[in-house]
Amino acid sequence: MARTVREDNQITGTLQNVIFSANDSYFKILSVTVNKTDLEDWDEEGIIVTGTFASVKPGSTYAFYGQLVTHPKYGQQFQAARYENQMPADEKGLVAFFASGDFPGVGKKTAEKIVDHLGQDAIDLILADPSVLTGLVKPKVAADLAEKLQENLGLEKLFLLGHQIGLSADVAGRLFDHYGEAAQEVLQKTPYRLVYEFDGLPFKKVDAIAKQAGFPDDHPDRIQAGVYAGILNACYSAGHTYLTVDQALAAAQSTLQSNSSSMQIAIDQALGALVSQERLVYEDGNYSPTDLKGAEVLVSSKVKSLLTAKSAVQTTPDLVDTTFVVPENLDLDEVQRAAVESALTNQVFVLTGGPGTGKTTVTKTLVATWEALVRHQAQSQGRDKEWVKQNRVRLASPTGRAAKRMTEITGYEATTIHRLLGITDGDDAEFDADNPISGGLLIIDEASMLDISLAESLFAALPKGMHIVLVGDADQLPSVGPGNVLYDLIQSQVVPHVALERIYRQGKGSSISALAQSINAGILPRDFQENQSDRSTFLSTADQVPRAVSQVLQAAVKKGFTANQVQVLAPMYKTPAGVLALNQIAQDLFNPVKSGQKTLQQGETIFRLGDKVLQLENDSERDIYNGDMGQVIAIHYKKEPGVAADSLVVDFDGQEVWYTSKTLNQLTLAYATTIHKAQGNEFKLVILVLTGQFKIMLNQNLVYTAITRAKESLVMVGDYSAYEYAATHPVPVRQTFLQELLVDQQNGRRATRAKQADSRVGQLAEHQGQTVDCDGQTTNLDSQSASRADRLGTQQSQTTAVRQEATQQPQTADALSAESDQRSLISSSQQKPAVQTPLAADQVAGESGLTTVTLAQAMADPMIGMADLKPADFMPESR
Ligand SMILES: Nc1ncnc2c1ncn2[C@@H]1O[C@H](COP(=O)(O)OP(=O)(O)OP(=O)(O)O)[C@@H](O)[C@H]1O
């Protein structure tokens, strides 16, 4: 976690040299000769100063404001919160400054000429009006000099301004990168444009900057930006692609923190202005952010055009039938076979099914049959190798891990969708409508994770004759980003779709599949608490969770499970039963501190050599993605020979990625993760924690997604009533247009609306105002300083910041959860608290009329050796 650097002390000194300069930020380490300081007892001539600096020049004098810190490895150094360039005070110094070699074409003589003519204010005069140099130096030299001065001093001034208005130096640096010289003017004159143009600054922050610049609350720029940010936040927070007028109004009012009648009128005007500026689209009483609406329109029209397109490879039912290849000689059932036929005879096809229903089997059959079809036609039609290559199978998935699994299963190379499309951060995709991807059949796995923006990029880049097959589990959580792509494609009934329902998995994992199906149907099965060969349930209160998880993990370690095979899942980050706390417990068990072990600290996380870690954001340049898991395989310290900066090396399934202080905030411990982050991943043993504290997040899809991450074994810890609540509450409905756009306009519009309205009743009411990031980030962000969010400066940080804003009122997860929810859940008649002894269990059962699993029974579970534990082990220390 980033801490604000205090400004306790000051050093004025001459820069000797820049020891380190990060190439992806303005962070530098300087060696400085101290001229003056108020540091007590500092009697050394030189000092190391760290911080964010513009292009500081050796020989120049600076005043640094900050504090003395003791670095564990490098000893005492001065951490600068800000600095000021002590411009040369006299003419001699000015001449030296201009002749420093920094300004092309300016030597000592020219420098003297400039100073002679312009005097001691030469720098300010040139900055204000570069034409003062006319006649003194050649036009090219004058232009270069003015530009260099502005570049150096402009950034320094921006740092200073940023400091005054509460912007971190990192954000100031990024603003300078984005707007150049104009950054200062943007901050002072048109700050609200940052809401539309600059990632990583939430509306609240922009609003504070604008206030300092003198913008009144009723300024039209403020209202427009607030309305836009409010609508965008609400869409990202709930996954909607549009809001009704009432919802848009509520979002705007809550962002602008006013519902006065004059504000109402101003918001109406702002909505009109935003529509005419094409930032919002208004249609049929709904407002959509233009990009989201555009994405839905593109996906629907592309799907429609694909549906009537001609395949580049002939795939008539007869041909498919005669070429059918089933790997491993499995006997596909009728539905599975129909899925293969439909997938190959249609240009767009959706295959869904729960765990163990044969999605992978069908995928393998598809790939083999397609290959056979292409080979057969190449032969019969005399096609060359190039044609075969042009029509090859392509496989992709939203996550790296799922792509890797696809490769292992099919033997074909699978990639992330980002990589397939050549999407690199900040740049447009390499493959798009003008430069489509190649291939004859594209299979996308984990399609439930596809949000509308990624779907837009994907569909835009498909060539005309290509077949696309989307494979997924429709009952998993919807995508983190807005949109409901898989659901809408299915519900539209425009796209051919087969749902596999028969579970084939036998042995390990089979009772997990059955449990998943039951939860999917809204029922917590009777045998929920009965230990099965592959799953068990440990009831415990929220307080008892850390202890219980610790004991389960200890047993798992004893049984020989490795960190990679075990995954602890919880809905949110905070609370003692949340991801952060559980990670600490698991880290100490799987990778305890060893003497001499190398560690590297980032905020409150201490990474140890050997740790299991999780990438938190997409970094397409380095080909690592949000949700990727890896292991720390090396830690290097700067003091070591040949090492430029403290760094940590992570092995992501054979791909080594380096992290320095600048990128380490993309990484966290991965022993425990949120359920959202685990999507697309599977583990041998999953330990799932649900308690009443997480009520705001609980729903069928969440718990279904969590338990289906378990390939072989599942241990469920927490409140019975939390599981029951989750099983009986479907995921909140997403408001999207895609389904409607896909359906024939006349027939579809009314029917779809009616359907949506029906299912929304109750659900929307229930979730009104409970806008919480679906990754539980709201709580996580609470624990992060604004400067950390600033520093992230990525789309993700914008999104999370955006989402955090959407929870304006203290109805954040934490405010809503904690005690009140806990109490309401515990008071539920279905609550079955963990009990200490069989006697107590009987008592509880007797009193409540419910059956209760005792801890002793639970611990006798043979699966992970619970018999090793004692009942007292599950009790909090204080008992
Ligand atoms: N028609 C079938 N006859 C016999 N066994 C089958 C059939 N279909 C699938 N299976 C077997 O069932 C098991 C699960 O199938 P598969 O892995 O294809 O399901 P899945 O839907 O991909 O599951 P998951 O999503 O959990 O990975 C496999 O062992 C597979 O061989």
Side-chain angles (χ1 to χ4, degrees), residues 233-460:
N233 294 339
C235 282
Y236 271 85
S237 172
H240 301 327
T241 57
Y242 71 85
L243 299 186
T244 63
V245 171
D246 287 350
Q247 290 169 336
L249 271 178
Q253 284 170 349
S254 121
T255 305
L256 291 161
Q257 296 192 315
S258 165
N259 56 3
S260 67
S261 54
S262 60
M263 180 57 83
Q264 202 112 330
I265 294 166
I267 288 174
D268 278 343
Q269 285 168 351
L271 283 165
L274 287 162
V275 171
S276 53
Q277 290 160 15
E278 298 185 356
R279 296 192 199 280
L280 295 180
V281 176
Y282 177 76
E283 206 180 286
D284 290 350
N286 301 305
Y287 287 98
S288 312
T290 304
D291 288 353
L292 297 181
K293 180 66 187 264
E296 292 197 297
V297 169
L298 183 132
V299 171
S300 71
S301 69
K302 188 74 195 217
V303 167
K304 280 183 194 166
S305 74
L306 279 174
L307 284 169
T308 53
K310 197 167 171 290
S311 171
V313 175
Q314 274 185 353
T315 57
T316 59
D318 281 352
L319 266 175
V320 172
D321 212 37
T322 49
T323 332
F324 219 92
V325 183
V326 186
E328 295 149 30
N329 287 329
L330 271 180
D331 203 5
L332 293 196
D333 69 28
E334 271 176 29
V335 182
Q336 291 171 330
R337 196 175 169 97
V340 176
E341 280 167 2
S342 186
L344 295 178
T345 51
N346 288 287
Q347 297 297 111
V348 193
F349 176 75
V350 174
L351 174 70
T352 57
T357 53
K359 297 184 298 299
T360 310
T361 307
V362 169
T363 301
K364 284 198 281 192
T365 311
L366 272 175
V367 172
T369 308
W370 179 264
E371 287 272 286
L373 274 169
V374 171
R375 261 199 318 271
H376 175 259
Q377 277 171 51
Q379 260 175 9
S380 63
Q381 297 170 2
R383 304 283 192 172
D384 60 8
K385 272 186 184 166
E386 190 50 33
W387 183 85
V388 173
K389 195 178 164 206
Q390 283 277 318
N391 288 296
R392 71 196 194 278
V393 176
R394 308 293 303 271
L395 305 172
S397 154
T399 73
R401 189 89 175 215
K404 187 166 180 276
R405 210 173 51 236
M406 265 182 120
T407 303
E408 284 163 4
I409 291 166
T410 60
Y412 277 73
E413 193 205 339
T415 69
T416 58
I417 296 176
H418 280 81
R419 198 160 173 209
L420 176 82
L421 301 177
I423 297 175
T424 46
D425 303 321
D427 285 331
D428 291 338
E430 182 187 344
F431 296 99
D432 54 19
D434 298 328
N435 181 28
I437 58 171
S438 65
L441 169 67
L442 172 65
I443 304 178
I444 301 289
D445 197 15
E446 299 288 352
S448 59
M449 296 178 73
L450 208 54
D451 67 28
I452 194 64
S453 303
L454 191 56
E456 177 189 27
S457 306
L458 178 68
F459 276 92

Side-chain angles (χ1 to χ4, degrees), residues 681-726:
N681 282 341
E682 286 177 344
F683 310 91
K684 236 178 166 176
L685 166 63
V686 163
I687 302 165
L688 172 63
V689 175
L690 295 188
T691 74
Q693 292 175 320
F694 305 130
K695 187 178 175 185
I696 193 170
M697 302 286 296
L698 300 181
N699 61 56
Q700 268 167 20
N701 298 46
L702 185 91
V703 68
Y704 177 92
T705 304
I707 64 180
T708 54
R709 300 309 89 216
K711 219 47 194 160
E712 294 185 4
S713 307
L714 171 71
V715 181
M716 291 171 286
V717 178
D719 296 338
Y720 177 88
S721 53
Y723 283 89
E724 191 186 45
Y725 181 91

